[in-house]
Amino acid sequence: MNFNNKMTTLEEFIIQRQLDFPFASGELSNLLRDIGFAAKVVHREVNKAGLVDILGNFGAMNVQGEEVKKLDVYANEHFIASLRAGRECCGVASEENDDFIAFTDANSRNSHYVVLMDPLDGSSNIDVNVSIGTIFSIYRRRSKQGDLARSEDFLQRGTEQVAAGYVIYGSSTMLVYTTGKGVNGFTLDPSIGEFCLSNTNIRTPELGKVYSVNQGYYSKFPEGIRRFIDFCVEDDDATKRPWSMRYIGSMVADIHRNLIKGGMFMYPPTTDAPNGKLRLLYECNPIAFIVEQAGGMATDGYRRILDIEPTELHQRSPVYLGSRNQVEKASEFLQTYEARAKVGVKA
Ligand code: AHM
Ligand code: MG
């Protein structure tokens, strides 16, 4: 056995990286550690989801007469409870809650950070044993230390994120995160209960050959996106098309595959949802930060996602992200057909 090949755990890695920031107080490291710990507990629940009543409806009773919590409710409550107990952030905003939560104890009020999260992304896949995920995003607060967190702490542009990441509960559970110095991935070794460094400095291939979209909504997409999809499926040797279509329906899982193998993910506007479905603060911004850090690109078709000024917590945005060649092409189609429509050119 070669003992020199010692693996690096998430905790060790976080501590090593803290040295990159000479004036770091350790607060951000502790916050990341709290999130990693909460992810392990959610992993445990996800993995026994088929065995216990956790898949039952929210409000139903289990055999012990306790109220059954659906997995998304459980994950939401557990992440919030862990962050509250950790006292390293002054508040949390979750996709599952209408409003943000400001922690009232003195330690939390004196901390520097807020966390935004989608505790269980891919909710339609929970009951059918398909990969799901957690997405998180960390910002420095804007309000004064000691005060209660305020909405201005949460309504910040994506460029202000100090860290972001996701956990994928898939064939293995992985935590992938960035603090703006590249992207690293950790795989949970269930036998020792530790996330171990498995993917160092993830770079996404520049030329993607996979596109991920709910193509069932084709007729509801803007014309530019319909033409872009036609382009994706067209036969062309030079650009190695047709490209493969892969769509899991859990953003985290689709992104994770595309990040590693190359490809783009999109959730365009539809006639029913003119701003798309995905939430700027809980889904688009953290994933955009990771994708950019891995060398990819993230836009709403016109602007960089990270530059969008949020005005409300649950704001939605169309999103196109992943390998540069594909994201640029999608924007080109979108803008060309919009310009044509403006001057009255028929399709
Ligand atoms: P959720 O946060 O309620 O789970 O919704 C977000 C999910 C994404 O993970 C996924 O890409 C998308 O919704 C799928 O939506 P659709 O079924 O419309 O394609
Ligand atoms: Mg979601």
Side-chain angles (χ1 to χ4, degrees):
M1 193 180 282
N2 181 359
F3 288 100
N4 291 327
N5 279 341
K6 187 192 167 300
M7 61 191 158
T8 306
T9 66
L10 176 63
E11 295 219 6
E12 287 167 344
F13 186 85
I14 289 171
I15 291 164
Q16 282 168 17
R17 286 299 162 106
Q18 195 183 318
L19 304 174
D20 292 350
F21 303 92
F23 302 107
S25 62
E27 212 175 307
L28 179 62
S29 301
N30 290 341
L31 195 48
L32 289 166
R33 206 198 49 208
D34 293 343
I35 291 172
F37 185 72
K40 285 193 234 175
V41 178
V42 172
H43 154 89
R44 187 191 66 200
E45 297 304 311
V46 168
N47 274 274
K48 66 180 186 191
L51 299 172
V52 293
D53 266 344
I54 210 154
L55 292 178
N57 286 329
F58 180 44
M61 296 289 169
N62 68 12
V63 283
Q64 284 89 32
E66 297 155 345
E67 194 181 281
V68 172
K69 295 204 163 94
K70 271 194 80 103
L71 212 43
D72 42 4
V73 178
Y74 177 87
N76 188 41
E77 290 182 356
H78 184 71
F79 270 101
I80 293 171
S82 300
L83 292 167
R84 190 193 292 277
R87 298 167 183 216
E88 305 287 359
C89 63
C90 62
V92 182
S94 162
E95 194 193 296
E96 295 289 327
N97 297 350
D98 289 340
D99 208 353
F100 65 85
I101 298 168
F103 296 146
T104 51
D105 66 279
N107 283 342
S108 302
R109 283 207 325 263
N110 277 315
S111 65
H112 290 97
Y113 298 102
V114 291
V115 177
L116 291 92
M117 61 171 188
D118 179 357
L120 217 64
D121 180 63
S123 34
S124 65
N125 282 327
I126 294 175
D127 295 355
V128 290
N129 209 353
V130 173
S131 299
I132 45 182
T134 295
I135 309 172
F136 63 90
S137 170
I138 301 174
Y139 293 80
R140 264 187 104 79
R141 71 187 301 174
R142 282 177 165 165
S143 57
K144 227 172 65 245
Q145 244 183 303
D147 286 357
L148 287 178
R150 288 205 286 266
S151 70
E152 72 204 53
D153 297 325
F154 299 92
L155 296 179
Q156 301 196 46
R157 278 189 300 172
T159 47
E160 303 304 308
Q161 291 173 102
V162 292
Y166 61 79
V167 184
I168 173 168
Y169 311 98
S171 46
S172 59
T173 290
M174 278 190 75
L175 187 149
V176 174
Y177 84 97
T178 182
T179 52
K181 291 180 185 293
V183 181
N184 292 286
F186 301 81
T187 302
L188 184 65
D189 180 343
S191 66
I192 56 168
E194 293 284 359
F195 280 109
C196 302
L197 181 60
S198 51
N199 300 62
T200 314
N201 194 22
I202 298 172
R203 303 295 298 168
T204 197
E206 275 208 11
L207 294 177
K209 285 181 282 189
V210 166
Y211 72 104
S212 308
V213 63
N214 189 338
Q215 205 154 320
Y217 299 147
Y218 181 90
S219 61
K220 292 176 178 281
F221 289 147
E223 190 187 356
I225 293 307
R226 282 183 281 147
R227 297 291 156 257
F228 173 63
I229 292 174
D230 297 343
F231 171 86
C232 294
V233 301
E234 198 177 69
D235 201 358
D236 179 57
D237 281 349
T239 48
K240 303 213 167 22
R241 284 175 291 139
W243 290 331
S244 287
M245 205 281 282
R246 296 275 183 274
Y247 191 71
I248 294 170
S250 287
M251 185 194 198
V252 168
D254 279 310
I255 296 294
H256 184 68
R257 181 202 51 244
N258 292 356
L259 196 67
I260 297 201
K261 294 197 164 180
M264 82 169 291
F265 171 92
M266 57 178 162
Y267 207 110
T270 63
T271 42
D272 303 330
N275 293 318
K277 174 183 183 187
L278 300 178
R279 318 280 179 149
L280 176 64
L281 294 173
Y282 310 114
E283 291 161 325
C284 303
N285 271 342
I287 300 294
F289 188 21
I290 292 168
V291 166
E292 283 197 5
Q293 281 293 313
M297 196 175 174
T299 75
D300 70 350
Y302 303 88
R303 307 170 278 184
R304 186 181 173 214
I305 287 285
L306 298 181
D307 283 336
I308 300 173
E309 192 75 55
T311 52
E312 41 180 302
L313 272 182
H314 292 276
Q315 184 170 332
R316 297 174 197 267
S317 172
V319 68
Y320 307 84
L321 43 79
S323 294
R324 195 164 278 275
N325 65 318
Q326 296 180 297
V327 177
E328 279 172 352
K329 202 68 182 169
S331 296
E332 193 183 303
F333 270 97
L334 199 57
Q335 292 175 23
T336 304
Y337 280 88
E338 191 175 277
R340 285 169 58 134
K342 274 198 189 126
V343 294
V345 179
K346 291 246 159 50

